[in-house]
Amino acid sequence: MAKIQKTNAARLLDRAGIHYELIPYHVDPDDLAATHVAAELGEDIATVFKTLVLTAGPGSLLVCVVPGDAEVDLKKAAAAAGVKKVEMLHMRDLLAATGYIRGGCSPVGMKKALPTFFHITALDHPAIYVSAGVRGLQLKVAPSDIIAYTGASVADIIKPA
């Protein structure tokens, strides 16, 4: 098997002394959903988190990291961030704002540090999966470690199932 190339996100965690595993998976360009990633990994979707970038207005971004089958509640996310209103960042703006593309957006190593919010269920698991910064590669990491590293807050930011 080919050697897995470390991503910038992985190198940053190395420098911080944070233990993680790089887990590759098969990418389906027609299905970038976290549910596909969970199926490829053979893991419960509750442990596979997606990284979403929201805007609270020009130049004001925040990051929500939520279970792969969940939908961000924009009102709850705005309240967590202490702003009146947020909306999803348009896909065309993602790369310029974060350095990442859809399906490969990691909460680690964005172009600049952004306010970040993990859904409270992240702490229910010994390890969670988040993108390693490219499609086809996930970071398996202790939630408390990645939350501390990113300076994130933990909040209830999803719509009820």
Side-chain angles (χ1 to χ4, degrees):
M1 184 166 128
K3 185 175 190 271
I4 297 171
Q5 291 290 320
K6 283 206 176 178
T7 62
N8 187 49
R11 286 188 290 276
L12 289 169
L13 293 179
D14 284 344
R15 273 189 233 133
I18 294 174
H19 175 76
Y20 65 89
E21 292 177 58
L22 284 173
I23 312 290
Y25 68 93
H26 176 319
V27 176
D28 178 350
D30 296 322
D31 186 1
L32 298 176
T35 49
H36 170 77
V37 175
E40 284 291 317
L41 296 174
E43 294 292 341
D44 183 343
I45 188 63
T47 65
V48 178
F49 282 64
K50 58 188 175 184
T51 304
L52 305 171
V53 182
L54 289 72
T55 179
S60 180
L61 300 175
L62 62 132
V63 177
C64 290
V65 187
V66 300
D69 61 348
E71 189 177 341
V72 170
D73 183 311
L74 298 177
K75 287 183 179 174
K76 288 180 179 179
V83 296
K84 286 186 177 184
K85 181 181 173 187
V86 296
E87 59 187 42
M88 293 298 298
L89 182 68
H90 197 285
M91 203 64 61
R92 71 174 175 257
D93 300 324
L94 185 64
L95 180 61
T98 67
Y100 291 125
I101 60 170
R102 179 174 175 252
C105 189
S106 178
V108 177
M110 291 195 181
K111 282 185 170 183
K112 67 179 194 176
L114 298 173
T116 301
F117 302 89
F118 276 75
H119 187 254
I120 55 175
T121 57
L123 296 173
D124 293 345
H125 310 285
I128 60 171
Y129 295 84
V130 297
S131 175
V134 294
R135 292 177 183 164
L137 197 58
Q138 292 280 297
L139 291 166
K140 181 180 181 182
V141 62
S144 57
D145 288 347
I146 196 165
I147 288 167
Y149 178 78
T150 58
S153 298
V154 177
D156 177 11
I157 52 173
I158 65 171
K159 292 182 177 179

